[in-house]
Amino acid sequence: MSNATQPPPAAPAGRLVVPPGARSTGDRAARALARAGTGAAVLIPVALIAVLACQSATAPGGPGEGLGRLLAWTLCAATAAVAAGLPVGVGAALFAARFAPRRARRALGTVIDLLAAVPAVAYLLLAQGLVNPAGGDVDRAVLAGLVLMAAIVPTIASLSHGVFAQVPFGRMEASLALGATRWEMVRQVVLPFSARTLRSTAALALSRALSEALTLAALFGGVRPDRLTWPGDGSRSGLWRLLLSGGGLGPFALAAFAVAFAVLAVGLAARALTARRPRGRPRRERAGRPDSAGRGVGAPLAGGRLPGWSGAVLAPACLLVVVLLEALAGAAGLTGTLVGWAFAYLLAHLLVVWAVEGSRSAADTGCRDLCAVAFALTVLPLVSLLVRAVLGAVASPAVFSSAPVLTAVGGTLATIAAATVVSVPVGLACAVWSTEYAGRRGARVVASLADAAVSVPPLTAGLGALAFFGLLAGPAQVPGRAAAGVALCALMIPYIVRGATQMLDLVPPALREQALALGAATWSVILRVQLATASAGLVQAVVLALSRAVGAASLMLVVSGSAPGPTPGSLPGWIVDRFASGADGLWAGVAWLVVIVVALELAGRVIPARHGPRNNP
Amino acid sequence: MARRVELRHLSARYGALTAVQDVSMTIEPRSVTAFIGPSGCGKSTMLRAMNRMLEVIPNARVEGRVLLDGTNIYGRMVDPVRVRRTVGMVYQQPNPFPTMSIRDNVLAGVHLTNRRLGRAEADTVVETCLRGTNLWEEVRERLDEPATGLSGGQQRRLCIARAVAVEPEVLLLDEPCSALDPISTQTIEELIGRLREDRTVVIVTHNMRQAARVSERTAFFSTDGPGTPGRLVEYDDTATLFSNPRHQQTEDYITGRLG
């Protein structure tokens, strides 16, 4: 037992108890960064709304004469559009997520997300096509409602598609294994699972609709209680006049502020209402017709099914009937024939299924067909827009690549890039704070605020930015692009916070425990485990936030398109300008806008795929 | 009421990967058949193929035939919904519907069939099924509470009750007793014994004693190595298979020299 065989005394390990001030620099920096990000994330939207509020309250002219009517029209139009658009959007999402053939589902899901990213400005143009040929005597209120629907249905569809795609596979399987048809499975599992999110989706759609309704009112001039005057003074100066009257904010801005307040209140109330735990409700027994389709002992498995060739017989037969009817009535027209054919086929198919396969099967078929129709309706505006944009661009290729358009494209891209550079770090830091440092209550507060902020009408953010820069530089010198950038930040940050928090919550707790057990410092766990594991999801969340924000680009239109300050050069502004003046190059602008949106969306699909571990396929 | 199930050259694939290859066997009505074998040899896949639940999984494909009393369930005129109602299935992971109460979970499958069911009759169904799974005494006071509040073992028994309530003629149970305590296990084994009287029961289990206790026939599945498709090695009376296996691979497995 000499000293030589004994191990040398271990070097004194680092002290176990550390005074609070002596934590590692990395940890302190991480915490400070997260806190700063959270502060900024809360501050930016709040500041914009506060500025708008102050400006509205101190507006010299007081509430303008049109305020009441403007508000009433906006609320009615938006509510009607949401009421009509909700079933269509949800149906389209259901079709893409559950009813479509399995191979097609992925592609259809992409199409739906793409739809939500197309700026609503583009849909406004469809109205032009609808108005002009009709000679201007269509009911304009109805028309405005349709445009509004075209603008918000994709948002609804995209949000609900996201929920439907998250329904746990095991539950759907369990329902099918009990002998449910696809529709019954949807009713039993998918809809209850999504009910809560669908309600907040409706709130979000309402805010989007309010925002777009105000934009519509601004674009097309004076508003009367029953109908929109169409097409009014849509020039930039007209828009500007609506925003500012007599040096202060006009009735338009006041309306936007009131709407934002209402939406915030509704959103918070809805959240409080839906935060309850889902409970099993005792259900009333249904006394339906006993299932005729062979239930019980020894029932045959086969038979009572429509053979595969039934469609091939039904479709031409229906076409024949429709054509004959049209010939008898003396009416003809390709669109009418096609619509009639589709209608007749769906009806005949439903009836035949009912007769042959029974009521359950008929319900299944009927719901699938309805959802398919909803999907078609949702996609129709985009398709027609694409066709016209492509045709327009082909017709005048020179305009497509002319200097003014390219300037506008560059301006838009620069605005988007600047907003991304600012809001991504801020949003991520806020998400990290909420998942790592905030504790349960803090996390809930952040989540509530983000949810409420997401549903603030985009237009309000835009006007807030305008008012803010108006204070700084004077109403005549507002730098439109900077204001648009700030507004875009205010829109993106809540989306990023929401998405990133969800993604970080998905990281298995076992991973961080393991890392901490290995002796890693908090900041390194956050960076190397949490953020690294969630990276794919985080990229996706950022891109989704970006495309949603760009989709809600009415604010960019109003802000950068209408400011009299020294900044032309945004695509929505360009589009409105051409729309109002009737000059060449309208469709070139739309085509560019669509190209940008599609590129963003594709980036959101491709980048996460080669980044970090996959989330579930 | 029970049906004979015949598998004829049945293969199942996930994309390019063949999970199980060329399985042929006949499962007699009013009997319990156990599927045993190492993990990943395709036992659960076979179960899913037997009630057309495999086609719900993306990329999964089935070749061959499954005859139910002579009718091929993959035939062109066969309605998968009817197949699934006739051939019930309980999954390895308990999956009660979280939005429904305990009572509604038991009745979930019954509601689907639009059966005329009075309040009293529904109560009877719920009580019978829950008694059958030995759950009644534990939950009778809280039938209207959410099913997610139950413990793991209770949830599993609830899922079996839910499947039994539809009165399937063939019942497929995927590891019905894994992670259950011995008392619950015994309850479920007794339930299987009762179900056998008028139904065809197939269970997948990793517990060979359980297989020996409850089943008349046992099928041993295995693979020839990692990455190779699973196949049916031996299918025989349970007593014969455990006491006098014909294949070396079977003997190695049941004596614990493998897997």
Side-chain angles (χ1 to χ4, degrees):
Chain A
M1 276 285 159
S2 70
N3 262 354
T5 59
Q6 287 209 337
R15 281 173 301 164
L16 290 179
V17 182
V18 193
R23 260 183 296 198
S24 90
T25 329
D27 276 354
R28 266 180 294 159
R31 171 175 281 231
L33 273 178
R35 278 191 183 156
T38 311
V42 173
L43 209 65
I44 295 180
V46 168
L48 290 190
I49 292 186
V51 167
L52 188 57
C54 291
Q55 291 267 312
S56 309
T58 58
E65 25 144 7
L67 179 60
R69 270 182 291 164
L70 183 63
L71 263 182
W73 183 83
T74 308
L75 280 176
C76 288
T79 316
V82 170
L86 205 59
V88 177
V90 171
L94 264 183
F95 181 75
R98 292 290 149 237
F99 283 116
R102 231 177 306 140
R103 282 161 204 279
R105 282 183 200 165
R106 247 192 119 121
L108 295 187
T110 312
V111 169
I112 281 205
D113 281 348
L114 204 59
L115 280 172
V118 172
V121 186
Y123 291 119
L124 298 182
L125 299 177
L126 285 178
Q128 188 199 31
L130 287 172
V131 164
N132 284 347
D137 213 29
V138 195
D139 190 335
R140 269 126 196 186
V142 172
L143 206 56
L146 281 180
V147 174
L148 218 49
M149 251 181 80
I152 61 161
V153 162
T155 311
I156 299 174
S158 159
L159 287 169
S160 9
H161 183 261
V163 197
F164 293 151
Q166 277 173 4
V167 180
F169 189 68
R171 281 182 212 163
M172 298 193 282
E173 219 179 13
S175 179
L176 287 177
L178 287 173
T181 61
R182 210 128 30 125
W183 162 240
E184 286 161 347
M185 185 269 286
V186 165
R187 217 181 48 195
Q188 198 170 42
V189 178
V190 177
L191 291 182
F193 177 86
S194 332
R196 248 208 281 181
T197 326
L198 286 186
R199 258 173 280 168
S200 68
T201 301
L204 206 60
L206 186 63
S207 89
R208 179 90 192 261
L210 286 169
S211 172
E212 304 299 347
L214 279 172
T215 317
L216 260 183
L219 256 183
F220 297 112
V223 177
R224 284 191 285 141
D226 53 340
R227 17 175 59 201
L228 271 169
T229 328
W230 194 296
D233 178 12
S235 66
R236 286 184 183 185
S237 54
L239 220 61
W240 191 243
R241 225 182 309 121
L242 264 174
L243 287 174
L244 303 173
S245 60
L249 292 173
F252 189 71
L254 284 175
F257 176 64
V259 158
F261 224 76
V263 165
L264 265 180
V266 167
L268 285 174
R271 205 183 143 77
L273 277 180
T274 53
R276 282 176 308 168
R277 203 160 56 110
R279 259 197 62 115
R281 249 180 308 144
R283 192 204 288 202
R284 223 174 297 140
E285 309 301 339
R286 296 189 317 143
R289 219 154 38 107
D291 192 5
S292 53
R295 138 157 241 298
V297 185
L301 298 172
R305 289 259 284 174
L306 274 184
W309 45 261
S310 59
V313 174
L314 264 182
C318 288
L319 180 61
L320 199 66
V321 169
V322 169
V323 169
L324 279 178
L325 277 179
E326 276 189 340
L328 279 179
L334 188 60
T335 321
T337 312
L338 284 179
V339 171
W341 185 22
F343 193 71
Y345 175 76
L346 291 179
L347 198 65
H349 188 225
L350 187 64
L351 286 177
V352 171
V353 169
W354 192 308
V356 178
E357 299 186 4
S359 58
R360 284 181 68 201
S361 201
D364 193 38
T365 312
C367 291
R368 196 192 55 213
D369 289 350
L370 274 183
C371 288
V373 169
F375 186 82
L377 282 180
T378 310
V379 177
L380 202 65
L382 179 73
V383 172
S384 97
L385 205 63
L386 274 180
V387 169
R388 298 184 64 175
V390 168
L391 287 182
V394 167
S396 50
V399 181
F400 189 72
S401 53
S402 69
V405 167
L406 290 183
T407 314
V409 170
T412 304
L413 285 180
T415 311
I416 292 176
T420 312
V421 166
V422 174
S423 45
V424 166
V426 169
L428 283 187
C430 181
V432 165
W433 185 79
S434 131
T435 50
E436 299 290 329
Y437 297 107
R440 203 178 249 196
R441 188 175 295 170
R444 252 212 317 258
V445 170
V446 169
S448 297
L449 280 179
D451 274 6
V454 159
S455 56
V456 164
L459 191 60
T460 312
L463 289 176
L466 263 189
F468 182 66
F469 281 99
L471 272 184
L472 285 185
Q477 289 303 312
V478 172
R481 198 182 291 167
V486 168
L488 205 53
C489 276
L491 268 195
M492 273 178 73
I493 288 172
Y495 273 118
I496 295 180
V497 170
R498 216 163 67 139
T501 313
Q502 280 166 0
M503 290 303 161
L504 286 174
D505 279 343
L506 282 180
V507 177
L511 282 184
R512 65 170 293 130
E513 254 169 55
Q514 183 61 59
L516 287 173
L518 289 171
T522 314
W523 67 268
S524 111
V525 172
I526 292 173
L527 200 65
R528 303 212 176 108
V529 178
Q530 305 286 96
L531 290 179
T533 313
S535 61
L538 292 178
V539 173
Q540 213 162 17
V542 167
V543 175
L544 206 65
L546 196 60
S547 69
R548 291 251 164 83
V550 175
S554 52
L555 76 110
M556 305 225 330
L557 151 74
V558 171
V559 173
S560 58
S562 66
T567 49
S570 90
L571 270 179
W574 164 276
I575 292 172
V576 171
D577 206 43
R578 300 290 133 149
F579 181 55
S581 65
D584 214 16
L586 173 67
W587 291 106
V590 176
W592 268 113
L593 206 54
V594 171
V595 165
I596 291 177
V597 165
V598 170
L600 269 180
E601 189 63 29
L602 287 183
R605 304 260 150 191
V606 172
I607 297 172
R610 48 179 66 191
H611 234 270
R614 298 212 172 194
N615 13 354
N616 35 349
Chain B
M1 168 158 192
R3 302 227 193 191
R4 172 181 285 112
V5 184
E6 294 165 79
L7 313 186
R8 293 281 170 265
H9 305 290
L10 196 65
S11 303
R13 288 196 205 161
Y14 297 106
L17 178 86
T18 306
V20 194
Q21 188 134 46
D22 197 24
V23 172
S24 296
M25 64 193 291
T26 301
I27 297 169
E28 293 299 329
R30 278 179 291 282
S31 72
V32 178
T33 304
F35 285 4
I36 62 171
S39 297
C41 66
K43 306 182 294 291
S44 300
T45 304
M46 276 295 98
L47 281 199
R48 283 164 192 270
M50 284 159 71
N51 71 342
R52 290 192 65 167
M53 283 305 288
L54 203 61
E55 63 200 48
V56 176
I57 299 171
N59 288 331
R61 276 225 322 271
V62 178
E63 285 156 21
R65 289 181 299 161
V66 177
L67 305 179
L68 220 56
D69 273 359
T71 311
N72 180 14
I73 66 170
Y74 288 96
R76 285 190 64 190
M77 294 292 282
V78 171
D79 181 358
V81 172
R82 280 195 223 176
V83 171
R84 290 170 196 154
R85 215 183 311 149
T86 311
V87 186
M89 174 153 189
V90 178
Y91 290 91
Q92 198 172 344
Q93 296 296 325
N95 46 11
F97 299 125
T99 48
M100 296 183 194
S101 65
I102 295 174
R103 181 188 148 83
D104 282 339
N105 256 290
V106 177
L107 293 174
V110 183
H111 279 309
L112 292 177
T113 52
N114 270 355
R115 214 162 16 137
R116 196 181 294 275
L117 208 61
R119 173 95 198 170
E121 210 183 336
D123 285 340
T124 319
V125 170
V126 171
E127 183 173 343
T128 319
C129 294
L130 288 177
R131 275 193 195 284
T133 47
N134 206 17
L135 199 58
W136 176 249
E137 295 301 330
E138 293 165 54
V139 303
R140 62 185 301 175
E141 302 297 331
R142 43 179 179 145
L143 286 177
D144 286 328
E145 284 177 28
T148 38
L150 298 177
S151 74
Q154 289 172 327
Q155 288 191 6
R156 179 166 307 203
R157 280 179 281 158
L158 179 66
C159 289
I160 298 180
R162 184 174 69 185
V164 171
V166 194
E167 297 177 22
E169 297 167 50
V170 180
L171 191 61
L172 313 172
L173 302 170
D174 197 348
E175 299 198 34
C177 300
S178 69
L180 281 195
D181 66 283
I183 299 172
S184 301
T185 304
Q186 196 185 3
T187 315
I188 289 177
E189 286 181 7
E190 283 166 12
L191 172 70
I192 294 172
R194 280 201 301 282
L195 290 172
R196 172 204 357 239
E197 288 162 16
D198 52 3
R199 261 166 256 261
T200 312
V201 180
V202 180
I203 72 170
V204 165
T205 179
H206 279 294
N207 181 340
M208 279 176 272
R209 289 194 187 168
Q210 183 175 54
R213 278 196 301 267
V214 302
S215 68
E216 280 97 15
R217 307 266 291 169
T218 298
F220 172 64
F221 290 84
S222 188
T223 59
D224 293 329
T228 57
R231 59 188 177 82
L232 177 63
V233 178
E234 189 165 350
Y235 178 48
D236 212 332
D237 286 338
T238 301
T240 319
L241 188 128
F242 279 107
S243 60
N244 193 12
R246 276 176 291 147
H247 290 268
Q248 187 61 38
Q249 219 174 345
T250 317
E251 192 177 341
D252 288 346
Y253 185 76
I254 62 178
T255 54
R257 274 198 289 267
L258 183 137

